[in-house]
Amino acid sequence: MKTINYYTLALGLLGAAKLILDAFGMDIITDETANAIANGVAALLSVIGVYTNHQKTE
């Protein structure tokens, strides 16, 4: 069974929405906003990754 990686899906949808809005001349999602969201998600995943990889198995 395949699992869905919702973090990368959300970032992909954000990028797609930005491209679609830019094509219609609407600059709602700026590059800085998209970068800030991507950096926040990457930082969160880094912390979660360190935490989950360093737990002891019983």
Side-chain angles (χ1 to χ4, degrees):
M1 182 175 179
K2 293 184 181 182
T3 58
I4 298 173
N5 189 342
Y6 290 103
Y7 300 109
T8 56
L9 178 63
L11 292 176
L13 290 174
L14 176 67
K18 180 180 176 5
L19 288 175
I20 291 169
L21 290 172
D22 285 348
F24 287 105
M26 294 185 271
D27 194 23
I28 297 172
I29 303 172
T30 63
D31 287 340
E32 292 81 18
T33 303
N35 287 337
I37 292 170
N39 288 339
V41 170
L44 181 64
L45 289 176
S46 296
V47 170
I48 291 171
V50 168
Y51 179 74
T52 57
N53 288 334
H54 290 89
Q55 291 181 343
K56 289 184 180 180
T57 57
E58 295 181 52

mmCIF file of all heavy atoms in Angstrom:
data_model
loop_
_atom_site.group_PDB
_atom_site.id
_atom_site.type_symbol
_atom_site.label_atom_id
_atom_site.label_comp_id
_atom_site.label_asym_id
_atom_site.label_seq_id
_atom_site.Cartn_x
_atom_site.Cartn_y
_atom_site.Cartn_z
ATOM 1 N N MET A 1 0.842 -1.180 0.000
ATOM 2 C CA MET A 1 0.000 0.000 0.000
ATOM 3 C C MET A 1 0.892 1.251 0.000
ATOM 4 O O MET A 1 1.857 1.341 0.739
ATOM 5 C CB MET A 1 -0.892 -0.012 1.234
ATOM 6 C CG MET A 1 -1.827 1.134 1.303
ATOM 7 S SD MET A 1 -2.921 0.930 2.737
ATOM 8 C CE MET A 1 -3.861 2.379 2.580
ATOM 9 N N LYS A 2 0.576 2.194 -0.811
ATOM 10 C CA LYS A 2 1.340 3.431 -0.888
ATOM 11 C C LYS A 2 0.837 4.416 0.165
ATOM 12 O O LYS A 2 -0.348 4.501 0.433
ATOM 13 C CB LYS A 2 1.201 4.058 -2.269
ATOM 14 C CG LYS A 2 1.838 3.264 -3.365
ATOM 15 C CD LYS A 2 1.733 3.997 -4.680
ATOM 16 C CE LYS A 2 2.366 3.179 -5.784
ATOM 17 N NZ LYS A 2 2.317 3.876 -7.058
ATOM 18 N N THR A 3 1.773 5.160 0.732
ATOM 19 C CA THR A 3 1.401 6.212 1.668
ATOM 20 C C THR A 3 1.588 7.558 0.980
ATOM 21 O O THR A 3 2.458 7.720 0.133
ATOM 22 C CB THR A 3 2.261 6.165 2.945
ATOM 23 O OG1 THR A 3 3.623 6.292 2.576
ATOM 24 C CG2 THR A 3 2.065 4.850 3.687
ATOM 25 N N ILE A 4 0.777 8.485 1.369
ATOM 26 C CA ILE A 4 0.815 9.819 0.772
ATOM 27 C C ILE A 4 1.666 10.723 1.648
ATOM 28 O O ILE A 4 1.474 10.786 2.859
ATOM 29 C CB ILE A 4 -0.604 10.396 0.644
ATOM 30 C CG1 ILE A 4 -1.450 9.528 -0.281
ATOM 31 C CG2 ILE A 4 -0.559 11.830 0.144
ATOM 32 C CD1 ILE A 4 -2.905 9.930 -0.336
ATOM 33 N N ASN A 5 2.614 11.414 1.042
ATOM 34 C CA ASN A 5 3.420 12.395 1.752
ATOM 35 C C ASN A 5 2.706 13.746 1.610
ATOM 36 O O ASN A 5 2.833 14.436 0.603
ATOM 37 C CB ASN A 5 4.827 12.446 1.169
ATOM 38 C CG ASN A 5 5.752 13.293 1.999
ATOM 39 O OD1 ASN A 5 5.316 14.103 2.809
ATOM 40 N ND2 ASN A 5 7.040 13.117 1.798
ATOM 41 N N TYR A 6 1.951 14.097 2.646
ATOM 42 C CA TYR A 6 1.123 15.296 2.582
ATOM 43 C C TYR A 6 1.937 16.584 2.560
ATOM 44 O O TYR A 6 1.476 17.599 2.052
ATOM 45 C CB TYR A 6 0.136 15.321 3.756
ATOM 46 C CG TYR A 6 -0.935 14.255 3.619
ATOM 47 C CD1 TYR A 6 -0.878 13.095 4.369
ATOM 48 C CD2 TYR A 6 -1.974 14.423 2.715
ATOM 49 C CE1 TYR A 6 -1.851 12.121 4.232
ATOM 50 C CE2 TYR A 6 -2.947 13.457 2.568
ATOM 51 C CZ TYR A 6 -2.887 12.305 3.333
ATOM 52 O OH TYR A 6 -3.839 11.341 3.187
ATOM 53 N N TYR A 7 3.144 16.550 3.112
ATOM 54 C CA TYR A 7 3.969 17.753 3.131
ATOM 55 C C TYR A 7 4.395 18.141 1.718
ATOM 56 O O TYR A 7 4.262 19.287 1.314
ATOM 57 C CB TYR A 7 5.189 17.545 4.030
ATOM 58 C CG TYR A 7 4.806 17.222 5.453
ATOM 59 C CD1 TYR A 7 5.006 15.946 5.974
ATOM 60 C CD2 TYR A 7 4.231 18.183 6.271
ATOM 61 C CE1 TYR A 7 4.639 15.651 7.279
ATOM 62 C CE2 TYR A 7 3.858 17.897 7.569
ATOM 63 C CZ TYR A 7 4.072 16.634 8.065
ATOM 64 O OH TYR A 7 3.703 16.344 9.345
ATOM 65 N N THR A 8 4.907 17.187 0.971
ATOM 66 C CA THR A 8 5.324 17.500 -0.391
ATOM 67 C C THR A 8 4.121 17.754 -1.292
ATOM 68 O O THR A 8 4.202 18.560 -2.214
ATOM 69 C CB THR A 8 6.195 16.377 -0.977
ATOM 70 O OG1 THR A 8 5.477 15.141 -0.916
ATOM 71 C CG2 THR A 8 7.500 16.240 -0.219
ATOM 72 N N LEU A 9 3.011 17.091 -1.004
ATOM 73 C CA LEU A 9 1.783 17.342 -1.770
ATOM 74 C C LEU A 9 1.313 18.780 -1.558
ATOM 75 O O LEU A 9 0.951 19.473 -2.518
ATOM 76 C CB LEU A 9 0.692 16.356 -1.364
ATOM 77 C CG LEU A 9 -0.666 16.536 -2.041
ATOM 78 C CD1 LEU A 9 -0.562 16.325 -3.547
ATOM 79 C CD2 LEU A 9 -1.682 15.586 -1.444
ATOM 80 N N ALA A 10 1.344 19.239 -0.317
ATOM 81 C CA ALA A 10 0.912 20.606 -0.018
ATOM 82 C C ALA A 10 1.816 21.632 -0.692
ATOM 83 O O ALA A 10 1.338 22.627 -1.255
ATOM 84 C CB ALA A 10 0.891 20.832 1.495
ATOM 85 N N LEU A 11 3.134 21.395 -0.659
ATOM 86 C CA LEU A 11 4.049 22.330 -1.317
ATOM 87 C C LEU A 11 3.876 22.310 -2.830
ATOM 88 O O LEU A 11 3.974 23.350 -3.488
ATOM 89 C CB LEU A 11 5.492 22.001 -0.943
ATOM 90 C CG LEU A 11 5.869 22.254 0.513
ATOM 91 C CD1 LEU A 11 7.295 21.806 0.780
ATOM 92 C CD2 LEU A 11 5.679 23.710 0.864
ATOM 93 N N GLY A 12 3.610 21.138 -3.386
ATOM 94 C CA GLY A 12 3.364 21.039 -4.822
ATOM 95 C C GLY A 12 2.101 21.780 -5.227
ATOM 96 O O GLY A 12 2.069 22.472 -6.248
ATOM 97 N N LEU A 13 1.058 21.647 -4.419
ATOM 98 C CA LEU A 13 -0.191 22.360 -4.708
ATOM 99 C C LEU A 13 -0.010 23.872 -4.558
ATOM 100 O O LEU A 13 -0.589 24.645 -5.324
ATOM 101 C CB LEU A 13 -1.305 21.862 -3.793
ATOM 102 C CG LEU A 13 -1.791 20.443 -4.072
ATOM 103 C CD1 LEU A 13 -2.794 20.004 -3.010
ATOM 104 C CD2 LEU A 13 -2.405 20.339 -5.454
ATOM 105 N N LEU A 14 0.787 24.282 -3.591
ATOM 106 C CA LEU A 14 1.076 25.709 -3.434
ATOM 107 C C LEU A 14 1.797 26.253 -4.662
ATOM 108 O O LEU A 14 1.451 27.318 -5.180
ATOM 109 C CB LEU A 14 1.928 25.942 -2.181
ATOM 110 C CG LEU A 14 2.381 27.376 -1.939
ATOM 111 C CD1 LEU A 14 1.192 28.267 -1.613
ATOM 112 C CD2 LEU A 14 3.401 27.418 -0.816
ATOM 113 N N GLY A 15 2.774 25.498 -5.146
ATOM 114 C CA GLY A 15 3.491 25.912 -6.358
ATOM 115 C C GLY A 15 2.584 25.964 -7.576
ATOM 116 O O GLY A 15 2.663 26.885 -8.394
ATOM 117 N N ALA A 16 1.704 24.977 -7.695
ATOM 118 C CA ALA A 16 0.764 24.961 -8.822
ATOM 119 C C ALA A 16 -0.198 26.139 -8.748
ATOM 120 O O ALA A 16 -0.485 26.785 -9.768
ATOM 121 C CB ALA A 16 -0.008 23.642 -8.839
ATOM 122 N N ALA A 17 -0.682 26.433 -7.554
ATOM 123 C CA ALA A 17 -1.596 27.573 -7.390
ATOM 124 C C ALA A 17 -0.895 28.874 -7.750
ATOM 125 O O ALA A 17 -1.481 29.751 -8.394
ATOM 126 C CB ALA A 17 -2.109 27.627 -5.951
ATOM 127 N N LYS A 18 0.367 28.998 -7.355
ATOM 128 C CA LYS A 18 1.127 30.205 -7.691
ATOM 129 C C LYS A 18 1.276 30.358 -9.199
ATOM 130 O O LYS A 18 1.086 31.444 -9.748
ATOM 131 C CB LYS A 18 2.499 30.170 -7.027
ATOM 132 C CG LYS A 18 3.329 31.402 -7.360
ATOM 133 C CD LYS A 18 4.670 31.376 -6.712
ATOM 134 C CE LYS A 18 5.577 32.512 -7.073
ATOM 135 N NZ LYS A 18 5.112 33.576 -7.882
ATOM 136 N N LEU A 19 1.615 29.268 -9.878
ATOM 137 C CA LEU A 19 1.766 29.334 -11.335
ATOM 138 C C LEU A 19 0.457 29.698 -12.023
ATOM 139 O O LEU A 19 0.439 30.499 -12.963
ATOM 140 C CB LEU A 19 2.283 27.998 -11.868
ATOM 141 C CG LEU A 19 3.740 27.674 -11.556
ATOM 142 C CD1 LEU A 19 4.065 26.264 -12.030
ATOM 143 C CD2 LEU A 19 4.663 28.676 -12.212
ATOM 144 N N ILE A 20 -0.638 29.111 -11.575
ATOM 145 C CA ILE A 20 -1.947 29.398 -12.183
ATOM 146 C C ILE A 20 -2.332 30.849 -11.949
ATOM 147 O O ILE A 20 -2.785 31.547 -12.865
ATOM 148 C CB ILE A 20 -3.017 28.435 -11.632
ATOM 149 C CG1 ILE A 20 -2.742 27.016 -12.138
ATOM 150 C CG2 ILE A 20 -4.417 28.888 -12.015
ATOM 151 C CD1 ILE A 20 -3.564 25.942 -11.449
ATOM 152 N N LEU A 21 -2.153 31.332 -10.716
ATOM 153 C CA LEU A 21 -2.500 32.720 -10.424
ATOM 154 C C LEU A 21 -1.608 33.692 -11.193
ATOM 155 O O LEU A 21 -2.089 34.717 -11.674
ATOM 156 C CB LEU A 21 -2.410 32.979 -8.917
ATOM 157 C CG LEU A 21 -3.483 32.299 -8.067
ATOM 158 C CD1 LEU A 21 -3.167 32.471 -6.580
ATOM 159 C CD2 LEU A 21 -4.863 32.839 -8.391
ATOM 160 N N ASP A 22 -0.318 33.365 -11.309
ATOM 161 C CA ASP A 22 0.586 34.227 -12.079
ATOM 162 C C ASP A 22 0.194 34.275 -13.551
ATOM 163 O O ASP A 22 0.335 35.308 -14.205
ATOM 164 C CB ASP A 22 2.030 33.756 -11.946
ATOM 165 C CG ASP A 22 2.647 34.098 -10.597
ATOM 166 O OD1 ASP A 22 2.039 34.888 -9.852
ATOM 167 O OD2 ASP A 22 3.738 33.565 -10.298
ATOM 168 N N ALA A 23 -0.304 33.167 -14.080
ATOM 169 C CA ALA A 23 -0.720 33.132 -15.483
ATOM 170 C C ALA A 23 -1.895 34.069 -15.741
ATOM 171 O O ALA A 23 -2.035 34.601 -16.843
ATOM 172 C CB ALA A 23 -1.088 31.705 -15.883
ATOM 173 N N PHE A 24 -2.729 34.275 -14.725
ATOM 174 C CA PHE A 24 -3.871 35.185 -14.873
ATOM 175 C C PHE A 24 -3.561 36.597 -14.391
ATOM 176 O O PHE A 24 -4.454 37.427 -14.286
ATOM 177 C CB PHE A 24 -5.083 34.629 -14.114
ATOM 178 C CG PHE A 24 -5.700 33.437 -14.795
ATOM 179 C CD1 PHE A 24 -5.499 32.162 -14.297
ATOM 180 C CD2 PHE A 24 -6.467 33.595 -15.936
ATOM 181 C CE1 PHE A 24 -6.055 31.058 -14.920
ATOM 182 C CE2 PHE A 24 -7.036 32.508 -16.570
ATOM 183 C CZ PHE A 24 -6.835 31.237 -16.058
ATOM 184 N N GLY A 25 -2.295 36.850 -14.090
ATOM 185 C CA GLY A 25 -1.887 38.199 -13.714
ATOM 186 C C GLY A 25 -2.154 38.555 -12.266
ATOM 187 O O GLY A 25 -2.039 39.718 -11.882
ATOM 188 N N MET A 26 -2.530 37.588 -11.443
ATOM 189 C CA MET A 26 -2.789 37.852 -10.024
ATOM 190 C C MET A 26 -1.553 37.474 -9.227
ATOM 191 O O MET A 26 -1.125 36.328 -9.244
ATOM 192 C CB MET A 26 -3.996 37.045 -9.537
ATOM 193 C CG MET A 26 -5.300 37.465 -10.181
ATOM 194 S SD MET A 26 -6.685 36.611 -9.488
ATOM 195 C CE MET A 26 -6.734 35.162 -10.529
ATOM 196 N N ASP A 27 -0.972 38.446 -8.545
ATOM 197 C CA ASP A 27 0.240 38.208 -7.766
ATOM 198 C C ASP A 27 -0.114 38.092 -6.291
ATOM 199 O O ASP A 27 0.314 38.883 -5.461
ATOM 200 C CB ASP A 27 1.239 39.337 -8.008
ATOM 201 C CG ASP A 27 2.625 38.987 -7.503
ATOM 202 O OD1 ASP A 27 2.918 37.787 -7.390
ATOM 203 O OD2 ASP A 27 3.395 39.922 -7.225
ATOM 204 N N ILE A 28 -0.923 37.087 -5.968
ATOM 205 C CA ILE A 28 -1.373 36.892 -4.589
ATOM 206 C C ILE A 28 -0.312 36.165 -3.777
ATOM 207 O O ILE A 28 -0.002 36.548 -2.657
ATOM 208 C CB ILE A 28 -2.705 36.104 -4.570
ATOM 209 C CG1 ILE A 28 -3.786 36.920 -5.274
ATOM 210 C CG2 ILE A 28 -3.114 35.759 -3.149
ATOM 211 C CD1 ILE A 28 -5.081 36.171 -5.495
ATOM 212 N N ILE A 29 0.251 35.110 -4.342
ATOM 213 C CA ILE A 29 1.293 34.341 -3.671
ATOM 214 C C ILE A 29 2.636 34.789 -4.251
ATOM 215 O O ILE A 29 2.977 34.469 -5.376
ATOM 216 C CB ILE A 29 1.096 32.826 -3.888
ATOM 217 C CG1 ILE A 29 -0.281 32.385 -3.413
ATOM 218 C CG2 ILE A 29 2.187 32.046 -3.165
ATOM 219 C CD1 ILE A 29 -0.614 30.939 -3.764
ATOM 220 N N THR A 30 3.378 35.546 -3.461
ATOM 221 C CA THR A 30 4.672 36.037 -3.936
ATOM 222 C C THR A 30 5.735 34.957 -3.766
ATOM 223 O O THR A 30 5.535 33.970 -3.058
ATOM 224 C CB THR A 30 5.092 37.292 -3.152
ATOM 225 O OG1 THR A 30 5.258 36.935 -1.772
ATOM 226 C CG2 THR A 30 4.067 38.403 -3.270
ATOM 227 N N ASP A 31 6.873 35.159 -4.413
ATOM 228 C CA ASP A 31 7.984 34.218 -4.271
ATOM 229 C C ASP A 31 8.450 34.145 -2.819
ATOM 230 O O ASP A 31 8.787 33.078 -2.316
ATOM 231 C CB ASP A 31 9.158 34.636 -5.160
ATOM 232 C CG ASP A 31 8.887 34.383 -6.637
ATOM 233 O OD1 ASP A 31 8.000 33.560 -6.946
ATOM 234 O OD2 ASP A 31 9.564 35.003 -7.474
ATOM 235 N N GLU A 32 8.452 35.294 -2.149
ATOM 236 C CA GLU A 32 8.887 35.330 -0.753
ATOM 237 C C GLU A 32 7.946 34.520 0.132
ATOM 238 O O GLU A 32 8.391 33.812 1.039
ATOM 239 C CB GLU A 32 8.968 36.779 -0.256
ATOM 240 C CG GLU A 32 10.069 37.594 -0.898
ATOM 241 C CD GLU A 32 9.686 38.135 -2.281
ATOM 242 O OE1 GLU A 32 8.490 38.172 -2.611
ATOM 243 O OE2 GLU A 32 10.602 38.491 -3.030
ATOM 244 N N THR A 33 6.638 34.609 -0.130
ATOM 245 C CA THR A 33 5.662 33.846 0.648
ATOM 246 C C THR A 33 5.838 32.357 0.421
ATOM 247 O O THR A 33 5.840 31.573 1.380
ATOM 248 C CB THR A 33 4.225 34.263 0.260
ATOM 249 O OG1 THR A 33 4.077 35.666 0.454
ATOM 250 C CG2 THR A 33 3.197 33.525 1.093
ATOM 251 N N ALA A 34 5.991 31.947 -0.824
ATOM 252 C CA ALA A 34 6.177 30.529 -1.135
ATOM 253 C C ALA A 34 7.469 30.011 -0.517
ATOM 254 O O ALA A 34 7.495 28.907 0.037
ATOM 255 C CB ALA A 34 6.183 30.330 -2.648
ATOM 256 N N ASN A 35 8.540 30.807 -0.574
ATOM 257 C CA ASN A 35 9.806 30.398 0.035
ATOM 258 C C ASN A 35 9.693 30.290 1.550
ATOM 259 O O ASN A 35 10.250 29.370 2.152
ATOM 260 C CB ASN A 35 10.923 31.370 -0.336
ATOM 261 C CG ASN A 35 11.354 31.223 -1.774
ATOM 262 O OD1 ASN A 35 11.163 30.183 -2.383
ATOM 263 N ND2 ASN A 35 11.928 32.280 -2.322
ATOM 264 N N ALA A 36 8.981 31.219 2.163
ATOM 265 C CA ALA A 36 8.821 31.177 3.616
ATOM 266 C C ALA A 36 8.045 29.935 4.041
ATOM 267 O O ALA A 36 8.402 29.284 5.027
ATOM 268 C CB ALA A 36 8.109 32.442 4.097
ATOM 269 N N ILE A 37 7.005 29.595 3.313
ATOM 270 C CA ILE A 37 6.220 28.396 3.635
ATOM 271 C C ILE A 37 7.070 27.146 3.440
ATOM 272 O O ILE A 37 7.081 26.248 4.292
ATOM 273 C CB ILE A 37 4.941 28.346 2.782
ATOM 274 C CG1 ILE A 37 4.000 29.479 3.195
ATOM 275 C CG2 ILE A 37 4.239 26.998 2.935
ATOM 276 C CD1 ILE A 37 2.819 29.666 2.268
ATOM 277 N N ALA A 38 7.792 27.074 2.331
ATOM 278 C CA ALA A 38 8.639 25.910 2.065
ATOM 279 C C ALA A 38 9.732 25.777 3.122
ATOM 280 O O ALA A 38 10.021 24.669 3.592
ATOM 281 C CB ALA A 38 9.254 26.017 0.672
ATOM 282 N N ASN A 39 10.335 26.895 3.528
ATOM 283 C CA ASN A 39 11.368 26.849 4.564
ATOM 284 C C ASN A 39 10.798 26.423 5.907
ATOM 285 O O ASN A 39 11.434 25.677 6.655
ATOM 286 C CB ASN A 39 12.062 28.209 4.695
ATOM 287 C CG ASN A 39 12.953 28.514 3.528
ATOM 288 O OD1 ASN A 39 13.376 27.611 2.808
ATOM 289 N ND2 ASN A 39 13.227 29.786 3.325
ATOM 290 N N GLY A 40 9.599 26.883 6.228
ATOM 291 C CA GLY A 40 8.953 26.481 7.475
ATOM 292 C C GLY A 40 8.651 24.994 7.505
ATOM 293 O O GLY A 40 8.892 24.320 8.509
ATOM 294 N N VAL A 41 8.140 24.470 6.400
ATOM 295 C CA VAL A 41 7.850 23.036 6.322
ATOM 296 C C VAL A 41 9.141 22.226 6.390
ATOM 297 O O VAL A 41 9.210 21.210 7.086
ATOM 298 C CB VAL A 41 7.044 22.712 5.034
ATOM 299 C CG1 VAL A 41 6.942 21.213 4.827
ATOM 300 C CG2 VAL A 41 5.661 23.327 5.118
ATOM 301 N N ALA A 42 10.182 22.684 5.712
ATOM 302 C CA ALA A 42 11.463 21.972 5.744
ATOM 303 C C ALA A 42 12.048 21.957 7.156
ATOM 304 O O ALA A 42 12.572 20.931 7.606
ATOM 305 C CB ALA A 42 12.442 22.617 4.770
ATOM 306 N N ALA A 43 11.953 23.065 7.873
ATOM 307 C CA ALA A 43 12.453 23.115 9.249
ATOM 308 C C ALA A 43 11.657 22.180 10.148
ATOM 309 O O ALA A 43 12.232 21.458 10.975
ATOM 310 C CB ALA A 43 12.378 24.550 9.772
ATOM 311 N N LEU A 44 10.354 22.168 9.984
ATOM 312 C CA LEU A 44 9.502 21.282 10.776
ATOM 313 C C LEU A 44 9.837 19.818 10.506
ATOM 314 O O LEU A 44 9.961 19.007 11.436
ATOM 315 C CB LEU A 44 8.032 21.567 10.468
ATOM 316 C CG LEU A 44 7.001 20.746 11.231
ATOM 317 C CD1 LEU A 44 7.078 21.052 12.724
ATOM 318 C CD2 LEU A 44 5.616 21.036 10.703
ATOM 319 N N LEU A 45 10.002 19.471 9.243
ATOM 320 C CA LEU A 45 10.342 18.095 8.892
ATOM 321 C C LEU A 45 11.715 17.704 9.418
ATOM 322 O O LEU A 45 11.922 16.542 9.804
ATOM 323 C CB LEU A 45 10.286 17.905 7.371
ATOM 324 C CG LEU A 45 8.904 17.920 6.749
ATOM 325 C CD1 LEU A 45 8.991 17.811 5.234
ATOM 326 C CD2 LEU A 45 8.058 16.790 7.299
ATOM 327 N N SER A 46 12.644 18.631 9.447
ATOM 328 C CA SER A 46 13.973 18.348 9.977
ATOM 329 C C SER A 46 13.902 18.010 11.463
ATOM 330 O O SER A 46 14.518 17.050 11.927
ATOM 331 C CB SER A 46 14.904 19.539 9.776
ATOM 332 O OG SER A 46 15.100 19.774 8.413
ATOM 333 N N VAL A 47 13.134 18.786 12.201
ATOM 334 C CA VAL A 47 12.991 18.535 13.635
ATOM 335 C C VAL A 47 12.284 17.204 13.872
ATOM 336 O O VAL A 47 12.709 16.404 14.713
ATOM 337 C CB VAL A 47 12.235 19.694 14.313
ATOM 338 C CG1 VAL A 47 11.870 19.355 15.748
ATOM 339 C CG2 VAL A 47 13.070 20.960 14.262
ATOM 340 N N ILE A 48 11.239 16.933 13.130
ATOM 341 C CA ILE A 48 10.519 15.669 13.274
ATOM 342 C C ILE A 48 11.421 14.504 12.899
ATOM 343 O O ILE A 48 11.423 13.470 13.571
ATOM 344 C CB ILE A 48 9.233 15.680 12.415
ATOM 345 C CG1 ILE A 48 8.225 16.661 12.997
ATOM 346 C CG2 ILE A 48 8.616 14.287 12.326
ATOM 347 C CD1 ILE A 48 7.015 16.904 12.114
ATOM 348 N N GLY A 49 12.204 14.660 11.838
ATOM 349 C CA GLY A 49 13.100 13.598 11.402
ATOM 350 C C GLY A 49 14.160 13.270 12.433
ATOM 351 O O GLY A 49 14.462 12.104 12.690
ATOM 352 N N VAL A 50 14.720 14.286 13.054
ATOM 353 C CA VAL A 50 15.724 14.053 14.103
ATOM 354 C C VAL A 50 15.071 13.369 15.293
ATOM 355 O O VAL A 50 15.621 12.425 15.867
ATOM 356 C CB VAL A 50 16.389 15.392 14.523
ATOM 357 C CG1 VAL A 50 17.206 15.217 15.790
ATOM 358 C CG2 VAL A 50 17.248 15.916 13.401
ATOM 359 N N TYR A 51 13.911 13.804 15.665
ATOM 360 C CA TYR A 51 13.218 13.214 16.817
ATOM 361 C C TYR A 51 12.854 11.757 16.575
ATOM 362 O O TYR A 51 13.088 10.911 17.425
ATOM 363 C CB TYR A 51 11.963 14.028 17.141
ATOM 364 C CG TYR A 51 11.182 13.463 18.298
ATOM 365 C CD1 TYR A 51 11.644 13.612 19.600
ATOM 366 C CD2 TYR A 51 9.998 12.792 18.103
ATOM 367 C CE1 TYR A 51 10.947 13.092 20.680
ATOM 368 C CE2 TYR A 51 9.296 12.257 19.158
ATOM 369 C CZ TYR A 51 9.772 12.411 20.445
ATOM 370 O OH TYR A 51 9.055 11.884 21.496
ATOM 371 N N THR A 52 12.289 11.450 15.430
ATOM 372 C CA THR A 52 11.838 10.076 15.181
ATOM 373 C C THR A 52 13.008 9.119 14.947
ATOM 374 O O THR A 52 12.888 7.948 15.273
ATOM 375 C CB THR A 52 10.886 10.005 13.970
ATOM 376 O OG1 THR A 52 11.541 10.537 12.831
ATOM 377 C CG2 THR A 52 9.604 10.760 14.232
ATOM 378 N N ASN A 53 14.108 9.593 14.415
ATOM 379 C CA ASN A 53 15.245 8.712 14.165
ATOM 380 C C ASN A 53 16.071 8.439 15.416
ATOM 381 O O ASN A 53 16.946 7.569 15.387
ATOM 382 C CB ASN A 53 16.154 9.306 13.084
ATOM 383 C CG ASN A 53 15.524 9.215 11.725
ATOM 384 O OD1 ASN A 53 14.703 8.343 11.477
ATOM 385 N ND2 ASN A 53 15.886 10.118 10.838
ATOM 386 N N HIS A 54 15.829 9.151 16.489
ATOM 387 C CA HIS A 54 16.634 8.986 17.689
ATOM 388 C C HIS A 54 15.828 8.440 18.869
ATOM 389 O O HIS A 54 16.252 8.549 20.005
ATOM 390 C CB HIS A 54 17.299 10.305 18.074
ATOM 391 C CG HIS A 54 18.364 10.696 17.111
ATOM 392 N ND1 HIS A 54 18.110 11.449 15.999
ATOM 393 C CD2 HIS A 54 19.682 10.410 17.066
ATOM 394 C CE1 HIS A 54 19.221 11.621 15.315
ATOM 395 N NE2 HIS A 54 20.196 10.998 15.938
ATOM 396 N N GLN A 55 14.718 7.835 18.597
ATOM 397 C CA GLN A 55 13.950 7.187 19.648
ATOM 398 C C GLN A 55 14.406 5.757 19.793
ATOM 399 O O GLN A 55 14.720 5.093 18.795
ATOM 400 C CB GLN A 55 12.450 7.226 19.342
ATOM 401 C CG GLN A 55 11.846 8.604 19.423
ATOM 402 C CD GLN A 55 10.353 8.561 19.121
ATOM 403 O OE1 GLN A 55 9.864 7.599 18.569
ATOM 404 N NE2 GLN A 55 9.653 9.593 19.496
ATOM 405 N N LYS A 56 14.421 5.258 21.019
ATOM 406 C CA LYS A 56 14.794 3.864 21.253
ATOM 407 C C LYS A 56 13.612 2.959 20.939
ATOM 408 O O LYS A 56 12.470 3.298 21.229
ATOM 409 C CB LYS A 56 15.198 3.667 22.708
ATOM 410 C CG LYS A 56 16.501 4.303 23.068
ATOM 411 C CD LYS A 56 16.854 3.979 24.504
ATOM 412 C CE LYS A 56 18.173 4.620 24.877
ATOM 413 N NZ LYS A 56 18.531 4.314 26.282
ATOM 414 N N THR A 57 13.896 1.832 20.335
ATOM 415 C CA THR A 57 12.843 0.834 20.103
ATOM 416 C C THR A 57 12.853 -0.134 21.266
ATOM 417 O O THR A 57 13.908 -0.532 21.763
ATOM 418 C CB THR A 57 13.082 0.089 18.794
ATOM 419 O OG1 THR A 57 14.373 -0.510 18.825
ATOM 420 C CG2 THR A 57 12.995 1.035 17.604
ATOM 421 N N GLU A 58 11.686 -0.506 21.719
ATOM 422 C CA GLU A 58 11.607 -1.394 22.869
ATOM 423 C C GLU A 58 11.246 -2.784 22.451
ATOM 424 O O GLU A 58 10.657 -3.105 21.556
ATOM 425 C CB GLU A 58 10.574 -0.854 23.856
ATOM 426 C CG GLU A 58 11.017 0.479 24.418
ATOM 427 C CD GLU A 58 10.010 1.004 25.427
ATOM 428 O OE1 GLU A 58 9.665 0.259 26.347
ATOM 429 O OE2 GLU A 58 9.576 2.142 25.260
#
